[in-house]
């Protein structure tokens, strides 16, 4: 059900771990729904993301999207990182099964949450960044059978 | 498929026994006649169906004309619920079941609720055993049916069927049991246990898929499932699945002959898994009752990790297992069974079910425990929940 790229990022996740004294940390998702992502950002004085690490509790797609998201933001400026959308993450993974699309949303949200934390810590405003939702499942409605 | 994998998902389905395949073959290639036909090829097919019906009946202490062949467990469950409520509508519209039934029961009950029936879902204790006092309290004058599974498919808990049967009888309520996981795995006597209806499925005990049966005690009114021909005493029309019927009977015969021997072998394997995992993997819990459980079932929850990841990593090591996590159920909610026994959502997401067969070996169990230990540790090392736990506990 997963593409080769998803399986690769699940089996060999890039940038797993924590960053001590990170510039920004964001945690999104909820354990009730079975996925939580935490992103750590190390941002230099020029606003460039030097490093990004993650920890994820979740399914194969949740791990793979976190891993891919870290790869996509490392080396980018804050504004460029904001352009890393869930679509970009999905495309980079050659797609996700429909039921797993929310994992890519979670990855996007995790980056935003970490950037939000960075902005809060430094008392700055990042153009185009809104306060992230703590739970991406808030608006989702489950489909009924029958 | 080559046997280069360790198959530990026998509650999902089993390998069709070679003797079963062998018994079925002549009914594809030689005696392929329609059992309803008059000539010899039809007659021999009919004889095979009759023999199969007698054999199945004998394994339950039932009569042959009380056995109805179906397309499997879900069909039997659907049939019982939908057709009984219709036949007994004059008595009432109330059904009692448990919170941990298979979806074939639960979703059918939800369907009936939309049609105006009332369903009481009786809870279970933390081991997954139905609360008998709650069950008895739920019985009303308009209750027409109690449906409680014989043994649970996820956590393997065996229900107090004899007590429920006696209770149903005392109150004059029909009693159905979904015995898909239990039939041919443990002794069942429909008379001693006061079971009025029982559904079973062939592929859970080394029979073929797509065949099952429903036992309906003589005298019980139940509407026909399929209208058409006279097959199955007019209650389920359609040309008999002769090969499947021959197959399920052969599988039942083989299973019942060696019931105790097989249980003992399976228990040796599951005891090994339970003991080692309990001792060697921190922050885990065995789900279900330690004693009152199917001999082939192991179900653990591992804190701080998610089940689908665990399954994929086990699969990469050639181990087939299953989980009650949301990701494996196609919804956001983890297993209703694990929630019913009181597990919090995040712990229910991290469950693992291993169901053995007597063909498994201790060496395979050893490899499985080693793999589980390694994978759980790896997933915890990437889990923010574990990180928080370690921080909070130094």
């Amino acid at each position: 059900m997963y593409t080769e790229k998803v399986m690769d990022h699940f089996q060999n996740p890039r940038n797993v771990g924590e960053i001590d004294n990170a510039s920004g940390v964001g945690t999104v998702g909820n354990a009730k729904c079975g996925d939580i992502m935490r992103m750590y950002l190390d941002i230099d004085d020029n606003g460039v993301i030097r490093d990004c690490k993650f920890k994820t509790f979740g399914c194969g797609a949740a791990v793979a999207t976190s891993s891919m998201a870290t790869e996509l933001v490392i080396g980018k400026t804050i504004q460029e990182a904001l352009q890393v959308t869930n679509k970009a993450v999905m495309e980079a993974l050659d797609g996700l099964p429909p039921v797993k699309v929310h994992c890519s949303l979670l990855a996007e949200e995790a980056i935003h949450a970490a950037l939000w934390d960075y902005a809060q810590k430094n008392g700055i405003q990042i153009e185009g960044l809104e306060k992230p939702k703590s739970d991406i499942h808030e608006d989702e409605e489950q489909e009924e059978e029958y | 498929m080559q046997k280069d994998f360790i198959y530990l998902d026998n509650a999902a389905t089993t390998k069709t026994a070679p003797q079963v395949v062998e018994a079925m073959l002549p009914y594809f290639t030689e005696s392929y006649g329609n059992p309803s036909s008059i000539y010899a090829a039809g007659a021999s097919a009919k004889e095979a169906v009759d023999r199969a019906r007698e054999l199945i009946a004998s394994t339950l202490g039932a009569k042959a004309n009380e056995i109805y062949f179906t397309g499997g467990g879900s069909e039997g469950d659907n049939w019982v619920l939908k057709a009984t409520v219709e036949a007994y509508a004059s008595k009432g519209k109330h059904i009692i079941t448990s919170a941990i039934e298979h979806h074939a029961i639960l979703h059918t009950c939800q369907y009936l609720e939309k049609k105006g029936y009332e369903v009481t879902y009786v809870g279970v204790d933390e081991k997954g055993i139905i609360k008998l006092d709650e069950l008895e309290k739920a019985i009303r004058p308009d209750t027409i049916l109690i449906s409680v599974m014989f043994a649970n498919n996820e956590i393997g808990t065996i229900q107090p069927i004899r007590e429920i049967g006696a209770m149903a009888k005392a109150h004059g309520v029909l009693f159905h049991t979904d015995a898909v996981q239990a039939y041919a795995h443990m002794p069942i006597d429909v008379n001693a246990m006061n079971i009025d209806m029982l559904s079973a499925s062939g592929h859970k005990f080394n029979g073929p898929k797509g065949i099952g049966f429903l036992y309906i005690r003589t005298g019980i009114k139940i509407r026909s499932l399929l209208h058409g021909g006279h097959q199955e005493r007019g209650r389920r029309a359609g040309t008999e699945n002769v090969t499947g019927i021959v197959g399920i009977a052969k599988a039942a015969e083989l299973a019942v002959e060696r019931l105790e021997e097989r249980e003992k072998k399976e228990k040796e394997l599951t005891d090994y898994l339970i003991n080692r995992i309990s001792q060697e993997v921190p922050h885990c819990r065995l789900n279900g009752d330690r004693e009152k459980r199917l001999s082939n079932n192991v179900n653990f929850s591992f804190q701080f990790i998610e089940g689908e990841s665990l399954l994929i990593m086990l699969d990469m090591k050639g181990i087939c297992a299953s989980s009650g996590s949301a990701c494996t159920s196609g919804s956001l909610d983890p297993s209703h069974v694990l929630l019913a026994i009181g597990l919090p959502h995040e712990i229910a997401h991290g469950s693992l079910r291993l169901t053995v067969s007597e063909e498994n070996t201790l060496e395979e169990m050893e490899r499985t425990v080693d793999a589980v230990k390694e994978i759980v540790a790896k997933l915890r090392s990437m889990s923010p929940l574990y990180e928080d736990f370690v921080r909070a506990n130094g």
Side-chain angles (χ1 to χ4, degrees):
Chain A
M1 74 186 217
Y2 289 136
T3 65
E4 265 177 48
K5 276 205 182 151
V6 173
M7 286 305 287
D8 176 37
H9 275 263
F10 174 64
Q11 291 176 53
N12 313 295
R14 281 58 147 179
N15 308 308
V16 178
E18 300 157 40
I19 296 176
D20 289 332
N21 304 315
S23 318
V25 185
T27 305
V28 294
N30 84 43
K32 200 172 170 235
C33 298
D35 33 34
I36 296 179
M37 279 182 203
R38 182 170 293 161
M39 290 273 181
Y40 294 85
L41 293 175
D42 176 23
I43 299 171
D44 70 15
D45 296 339
N46 301 319
V48 173
I49 298 171
R50 266 193 303 226
D51 199 7
C52 175
K53 295 226 184 286
F54 81 93
K55 286 222 172 163
T56 289
F57 162 84
C59 62
V63 172
T65 52
S66 322
S67 166
M68 182 53 87
T70 61
E71 282 210 322
L72 290 176
V73 299
I74 291 175
K76 299 256 165 75
T77 64
I78 290 167
Q79 276 308 319
E80 284 166 343
L82 275 179
Q83 305 310 311
V84 177
T85 60
N86 81 300
K87 282 206 179 70
V89 173
M90 272 206 288
E91 273 165 24
L93 287 168
D94 294 337
L96 284 175
V99 293
K100 303 291 186 181
V101 172
H102 71 273
C103 294
S104 64
L105 283 164
L106 205 59
E108 176 188 321
E109 209 61 31
I111 298 168
H112 289 189
L115 286 172
W116 181 263
D117 181 51
Y118 166 75
Q120 295 291 101
K121 276 181 183 160
N122 293 283
I124 56 170
Q125 269 204 324
I126 298 173
E127 205 190 315
L129 180 66
E130 285 170 29
K131 188 171 193 261
K133 283 182 282 184
S134 61
D135 179 4
I136 57 126
H137 295 301
E138 272 169 3
D139 303 330
E140 262 178 54
E141 267 181 44
Q142 280 200 52
E143 266 180 66
E144 244 186 301
E145 275 189 52
Y146 315 110
Chain B
M1 273 192 294
Q2 295 267 312
K3 176 87 171 101
D4 53 359
F5 59 91
I6 303 176
Y7 186 73
L8 297 177
D9 205 13
N10 285 280
T13 195
T14 57
K15 181 170 103 179
T16 314
Q19 302 98 306
V20 169
V21 176
E22 203 185 316
M24 291 168 72
L25 276 175
Y27 296 92
F28 284 109
T29 53
E30 292 159 34
S31 301
Y32 52 80
N34 189 317
S36 302
S37 304
I38 200 155
Y39 38 77
S44 68
K46 183 173 188 306
E47 274 167 32
V49 170
D50 290 346
R51 272 199 308 275
R53 202 183 305 278
E54 269 163 35
L55 190 133
I56 298 274
S58 73
T59 62
L60 291 167
K63 298 192 281 285
N65 62 11
E66 295 175 316
I67 304 297
Y68 298 82
F69 289 110
T70 64
S74 291
E75 181 182 316
D77 289 347
N78 269 263
W79 187 4
V80 164
L81 289 171
K82 292 174 187 166
T84 314
V85 296
E86 219 182 295
Y88 287 83
S90 59
K91 187 191 174 193
K93 287 192 149 195
H94 182 234
I95 300 164
I96 302 172
T97 188
S98 86
I100 60 163
E101 296 298 305
H102 189 273
H103 284 140
I105 293 287
L106 290 182
H107 287 178
T108 309
C109 282
Q110 286 159 16
Y111 165 82
L112 290 174
E113 282 180 294
K114 288 187 179 171
K115 295 258 172 198
Y117 292 91
E118 253 188 275
V119 183
T120 304
Y121 301 90
V122 177
V124 295
D125 64 17
E126 73 285 356
K127 302 285 187 192
I129 294 172
I130 192 163
K131 293 176 178 161
L132 284 173
D133 52 336
E134 222 179 272
L135 174 64
E136 186 148 36
K137 270 185 225 150
I139 301 173
R140 316 190 308 212
D142 63 339
T143 305
I144 48 180
L145 178 71
I146 296 173
S147 180
V148 177
M149 70 199 328
F150 210 108
N152 184 264
N153 49 311
E154 292 184 38
I155 57 174
T157 308
I158 297 164
Q159 300 299 330
I161 291 301
R162 198 178 284 267
E163 287 81 351
I164 300 170
M167 191 187 288
K169 193 179 183 190
H171 288 270
V173 178
L174 294 178
F175 174 41
H176 164 254
T177 185
D178 170 347
V180 166
Q181 294 293 334
Y183 176 74
H185 289 273
M186 49 190 298
I188 301 179
D189 184 319
V190 289
N191 296 312
M193 295 171 169
N194 285 304
I195 296 167
D196 294 313
M197 289 171 278
L198 175 147
S199 23
S201 177
H203 72 108
K204 305 290 189 186
F205 52 95
N206 307 101
K209 294 170 181 63
I211 182 78
F213 69 84
L214 179 64
Y215 156 78
I216 308 174
R217 183 181 293 282
T218 305
I220 288 177
K221 288 190 289 178
I222 174 169
R223 295 288 162 88
S224 298
L225 173 70
L226 298 174
H227 300 274
H230 58 87
Q231 294 91 349
E232 305 303 302
R233 296 157 57 85
R235 281 174 155 178
R236 187 196 189 265
T239 299
E240 295 88 342
N241 174 0
V242 178
T243 48
I245 290 170
V246 169
I248 192 175
K250 187 69 192 173
E253 186 187 354
L254 294 170
V256 171
E257 263 172 21
R258 302 185 47 258
L259 209 61
E260 281 175 30
E261 194 186 325
R262 210 181 39 174
E263 259 190 311
K264 203 174 146 227
K265 180 98 198 290
E266 289 171 351
K267 201 164 178 307
E268 195 189 327
L269 300 171
T270 49
D271 279 348
Y272 178 91
L273 289 173
I274 292 172
N275 292 337
R276 266 197 71 195
I277 293 174
S278 306
Q279 285 162 18
E280 297 176 30
V281 183
H283 314 298
C284 73
R285 66 162 267 168
L286 177 70
N287 295 315
D289 196 273
R290 182 66 183 87
E291 300 304 325
K292 290 174 194 151
R293 74 186 302 136
L294 289 169
S295 54
N296 69 353
N297 175 289
V298 173
N299 187 310
F300 272 98
S301 282
F302 302 103
Q303 248 181 296
F304 319 116
I305 66 161
E306 194 276 335
E308 192 207 77
S309 292
L310 177 57
L311 289 190
I312 300 175
M313 288 193 175
L314 282 170
D315 180 38
M316 287 172 344
K317 290 180 181 289
I319 299 169
C320 311
S322 83
S323 168
S325 91
C327 282
T328 56
S329 73
S331 77
L332 291 178
D333 288 322
S335 144
H336 65 284
V337 176
L338 299 178
L339 295 180
I341 61 171
L343 292 196
H345 274 72
E346 65 269 27
I347 295 177
H349 281 298
S351 79
L352 174 69
R353 181 184 73 177
L354 304 169
T355 43
V356 305
S357 82
E358 62 171 335
E359 288 191 7
N360 291 120
T361 62
L362 270 177
E363 192 263 328
E364 288 178 328
M365 300 303 104
E366 228 177 280
R367 277 166 57 196
T368 301
V369 176
D370 293 344
V372 167
K373 280 170 67 175
E374 183 192 321
I375 294 168
V376 168
K378 180 175 178 187
L379 288 172
R380 280 181 179 158
S381 75
M382 357 189 334
S383 167
L385 295 175
Y386 189 62
E387 181 185 316
D388 291 346
F389 172 80
V390 171
R391 282 209 181 125
N393 294 275

